[in-house]
Amino acid sequence: MPVLKAGSRPPWVGLGAAVWVEIAAGNPYNFPLYSPAIKSVLGYNQQLITILGVANDFGENVGILPGIVCNKFPPWVLLSIGVCACFLGYGVLWLAVSQTVQSIPFWVLWIALCIATNSSAWLSTAVLVTNMRNFPLSRGTVAGILKGYIGISAAVYTEVYSMVLQESATKLLLVLTLGLPVICLAMMYFIRPCTAASGEDSSVHVHFLFTQATSLCLAIYVLTTVILKDLLSLNTAISYTFVAVMVILLMSPIAIPIKMTLFPVYSKKRGPPFVSSDDLVSAENDSSQTEPLLIDSSSDTNLVSSYESEDVSDVDILLAVGEGAVKKKRRPKRGEDFKFREAVVKADFWLLWLVYFFGVGSGVTVLNNLAQIGVSMGVDDTNILLCLFSFCNFLGRLGAGAVSEHFVRSNKIPRTIWMTISQIIMIMTFLLYASALDGTLYVATGLLGVCYGVQFAIMIPTASELFGLKHFGIIFNFMQLGNPIGALIFSALLAGYVYDTEADNQGGSSCLGANCYRLTFLVLACACGVGTILSVLLTIRIRPVYQMLYSGSSIRLTH
C-alpha cells in the first residue's frame, strides 16, 4: 500500500471485512427459515410464533447499549460481545429444536432469541459507526452498501440453507451458533478506525462503484441460483459449486486494498498528517474541543476564508475543524454534533423516528409472517419468497444510499423525500396484498422489499446529518427501536391475532385464504399513510439544513 505514517491505515480493508460482519449481522432474517420448525416441534400456535418474532425484532434493533459503548471502547469490544450473544442465544434455540433438551419454557426461548438477535445490534453498530467515521464524506453511500449487505444476507442464508444444509432448521441453528462467531472473530482485527478517505480523490468514487457493482452481482447471482434450485434437481457437486462462487463474490471488496497495494497512487499535493477516526472518540472526553457539523459561511475566521482556496481539500477542512479552529459558543443547531439528550428533545428527531416506525414496523410485520403468508396464499416453497424479499430489500438499501447521495449533492434535496415516495408505494403494495389477486404475491413482495430497504438506507445518513457523528451510535440505535415496537403492535398484537381467529373459524390450527391477513394489510396501508404525511412535514422542515450543509463547492460536513 502507499506509505502511511505510523498509526494510520486506509479504510478499504475495514470496509471489505465489514461486508462479512454485516452478513453475520443479518442473522435475524433467518427467523422465517426456522420458525416453522419451532412451531411444529414445540407445538406452538401462530400467535406464539409472532410473539417470538417480536423477540427477534427487539433483539435486532435494541441497540442503545452498543450505541453508548461504541464511543467508549474500540470496535473489537462490541464485536466480542456480539459473538458471545450469538453463541449463547442460538445455542439455546438449537438445543430446543434439536430436542437435545426437552421442555424448554417459552419464556426462556423468547429471552434466548432476544439475546441471539441482539448480536446483530452489536456487530452492525461496530462496523457501521466505524466506517461512517472512516468515510465521513460519503455517508449515504457507505450506509447503503453496509445495510445492503445486511439486506442480501437473508438470500445468502437461504442459499446455504437449501443447498448445503438440505433445508434442516437444526443444522441452520448450529451454523448460527458456531459459524457466525468464527467469521466475526476472523474479521475482528480489520475493523478499526483508520485514515479518513478524501472525498476529492476520484479513486474513492471508483472504489465505491466497484463495491456497489459487485454487491449487485452477488444479489442477482444468489436470487438466480435459489430459483434454479427450486426449478431443477441439482446434484450435490453443483450445489456446492454455487455456494463456492457466492463466497468468492462476498470476498470481492478485498480487491480494492489489494489493488492499492500492487498499484499505489501518490497524491501530488502535500497534505496534512493523517488522522485516525479514533480522534473523534478520544475527543469525547475533552470538554474544550467541539466539532461543529455545519460551518457558518459568513464567519470571518481564516478557516472559512480558506474554503475559497483550490488547494484545500475536504479532509484538510475536517482536520482543521477537529484541531479546534472553530469553536461552538452555543447549543448545537441542526447539522451540528448533538448529544443524545440534546437530540431527543428536538421535533425533527421524533418526526424521523415516527416516519421510520411506520415504514419499517409495517414492513417487518410482513417479513416475520412471510412464510405463513405464502402458505395461506397457496405457495409451496416459501424460500423463494424470502429470497425475493431479501434481493429487493438489498436493492432498496443500496439504491437509496446511492441515489440520495447524488441528489443531496447535486440538488440539495433532503434524503427523506425518498422515504415519502417509498411509503406511498407501500400503501399501494399493502392494498395489492389485501386484494389477493392471482400473480400479485411475488410482485407485492418485491415492491415491499425495495421500500423496506429504503427506510433503513435513508434514516441512517439523515440522522448523522441532522445530529452529527460524534454520538451517532446511540442516536441511530434509538431510531431503530421503531422496528421492534412496530413489530409488537402490528405483528404480534394484530397479525397473529387475526391469523389465529381466522384459523379457528376454519376449524384448524392453520389458516388458508386471503382473509388470514387481509385486515392486517389494510391497517398497515393506513399506517403508511400516516407515515407519508409525517415524512412530507419532516422534509419541509429540514430542507434549509441541506441547503446549508451542501452549499457551495465544499461539503460542510465533519466526521
Side-chain angles (χ1 to χ4, degrees):
M1 290 185 183
V3 177
L4 298 175
K5 293 195 175 185
S8 65
R9 53 178 289 165
W12 298 101
V13 174
L15 185 65
V19 165
W20 285 86
V21 177
E22 289 287 49
I23 292 292
N27 64 79
Y29 288 110
N30 285 289
F31 185 72
L33 294 178
Y34 60 78
S35 59
I38 294 178
K39 184 177 182 179
S40 60
V41 172
L42 303 180
Y44 293 157
N45 60 25
Q46 185 58 31
Q47 191 161 18
L48 288 177
I49 293 298
T50 57
I51 293 174
L52 281 178
V54 172
N56 187 79
D57 295 314
F58 263 100
E60 177 187 7
N61 295 285
V62 177
I64 300 299
L65 188 56
I68 296 173
V69 172
C70 73
N71 263 16
K72 300 182 181 298
F73 296 96
W76 69 264
V77 174
L78 282 78
L79 293 173
S80 298
I81 296 173
V83 164
C84 294
C86 190
F87 176 77
L88 294 175
Y90 283 117
V92 172
L93 292 175
W94 175 79
L95 292 174
V97 173
S98 66
Q99 296 184 300
T100 303
V101 176
Q102 301 289 333
S103 303
I104 297 180
F106 178 81
W107 66 268
V108 173
L109 290 181
W110 198 92
I111 294 175
L113 188 54
C114 276
I115 294 173
T117 54
N118 192 240
S119 65
S120 175
W122 291 94
L123 301 176
S124 183
T125 298
V127 298
L128 183 62
V129 171
T130 302
N131 280 278
M132 290 278 280
R133 290 171 176 170
N134 290 345
F135 295 94
L137 303 180
S138 305
R139 304 180 187 193
T141 303
V142 171
I145 289 172
L146 294 182
K147 283 297 182 180
Y149 273 100
I150 284 189
I152 198 59
S153 64
V156 171
Y157 287 120
T158 301
E159 175 139 329
V160 174
Y161 175 73
S162 61
M163 295 189 179
V164 178
L165 306 179
Q166 290 79 47
E167 301 190 359
S168 168
T170 303
K171 293 179 181 178
L172 175 62
L173 288 170
L174 188 59
V175 168
L176 297 178
T177 302
L178 301 177
L180 298 191
V182 170
I183 291 175
C184 294
L185 289 173
M187 297 296 109
M188 187 179 295
Y189 172 78
F190 304 102
I191 308 298
R192 61 175 68 181
C194 54
T195 305
S198 169
E200 294 184 354
D201 188 351
S202 61
S203 65
V204 171
H205 180 64
V206 174
H207 292 163
F208 277 133
L209 285 178
F210 173 79
T211 306
Q212 291 166 332
T214 54
S215 63
L216 181 60
C217 291
L218 170 67
I220 295 173
Y221 173 82
V222 173
L223 179 64
T224 302
T225 52
V226 169
I227 293 175
L228 288 176
K229 173 69 175 178
D230 182 67
L231 297 178
L232 305 175
S233 179
L234 303 178
N235 59 40
T236 303
I238 294 177
S239 297
Y240 277 68
T241 301
F242 280 163
V243 173
V245 173
M246 180 186 72
V247 171
I248 293 173
L249 289 174
L250 281 170
M251 296 174 62
S252 56
I254 203 66
I256 296 172
I258 292 176
K259 174 256 182 185
M260 294 174 67
T261 301
L262 298 178
F263 305 101
V265 177
Y266 299 91
S267 176
K268 294 182 179 180
K269 293 185 293 184
R270 181 180 178 85
F274 287 100
V275 175
S276 168
S277 59
D278 267 332
D279 295 341
L280 179 66
V281 180
S282 63
E284 175 70 16
N285 299 322
D286 183 0
S287 59
S288 66
Q289 182 175 354
T290 55
E291 298 179 53
L293 183 66
L294 179 62
I295 308 298
D296 187 353
S297 60
S298 64
S299 173
D300 59 356
T301 63
N302 293 332
L303 173 65
V304 177
S305 63
S306 69
Y307 287 153
E308 306 297 329
S309 172
E310 294 180 353
D311 294 330
V312 179
S313 70
D314 288 324
V315 170
D316 295 336
I317 296 171
L318 301 184
L319 297 176
V321 172
E323 292 168 359
V326 176
K327 301 289 186 181
K328 280 191 303 186
K329 298 182 179 179
R330 51 175 169 71
R331 292 181 179 180
K333 294 182 179 180
R334 288 182 298 186
E336 299 177 346
D337 282 321
F338 282 71
K339 295 180 180 179
F340 177 72
R341 65 176 179 271
E342 294 170 333
V344 79
V345 298
K346 297 296 184 181
D348 293 339
F349 181 94
W350 289 105
L351 280 173
L352 182 59
W353 190 93
L354 286 171
V355 172
Y356 182 75
F357 161 76
F358 285 115
V360 300
S362 56
V364 79
T365 298
V366 175
L367 177 59
N368 286 349
N369 294 275
L370 194 56
Q372 287 75 25
I373 290 172
V375 170
S376 68
M377 297 292 188
V379 174
D380 294 327
D381 188 355
T382 58
N383 288 343
I384 293 181
L385 275 178
L386 178 60
C387 194
L388 176 63
F389 185 95
S390 174
F391 174 76
C392 294
N393 183 17
F394 161 80
L395 291 181
R397 296 180 186 218
L398 186 70
V403 171
S404 68
E405 192 77 17
H406 170 75
F407 281 97
V408 80
R409 290 172 179 270
S410 61
N411 301 101
K412 297 182 284 292
I413 296 176
R415 300 182 195 272
T416 49
I417 189 67
W418 306 106
M419 297 182 86
T420 306
I421 295 171
S422 66
Q423 293 208 19
I424 292 173
I425 297 174
M426 289 177 78
I427 295 172
M428 297 184 289
T429 300
F430 288 129
L431 295 177
L432 194 62
Y433 270 120
S435 69
L437 297 175
D438 291 339
T440 60
L441 179 60
Y442 291 96
V443 174
T445 300
L447 286 174
L448 183 64
V450 171
C451 296
Y452 182 72
V454 169
Q455 307 302 310
F456 284 92
I458 297 300
M459 180 276 287
I460 292 172
T462 300
S464 77
E465 287 162 334
L466 293 180
F467 306 112
L469 277 176
K470 182 176 288 187
H471 302 279
F472 170 69
I474 186 172
I475 289 174
F476 103 87
N477 272 301
F478 187 89
M479 289 284 177
Q480 290 199 140
L481 288 176
N483 190 311
I485 294 175
L488 174 63
I489 295 173
F490 298 127
S491 184
L493 301 182
L494 176 64
Y497 173 78
V498 171
Y499 181 96
D500 285 336
T501 300
E502 184 61 26
D504 291 339
N505 293 337
Q506 294 181 9
S509 59
S510 298
C511 180
L512 296 175
N515 287 335
C516 299
Y517 288 99
R518 177 167 286 150
L519 177 60
T520 299
F521 292 136
L522 294 176
V523 172
L524 296 180
C526 294
C528 285
V530 176
T532 300
I533 296 172
L534 295 177
S535 183
V536 171
L537 177 60
L538 176 62
T539 302
I540 294 173
R541 283 178 57 88
I542 66 177
R543 179 66 188 267
V545 179
Y546 282 84
Q547 295 287 341
M548 291 185 292
L549 290 179
Y550 292 92
S551 61
S553 59
S554 294
I555 298 173
R556 305 178 182 189
L557 294 172
T558 76
H559 72 300

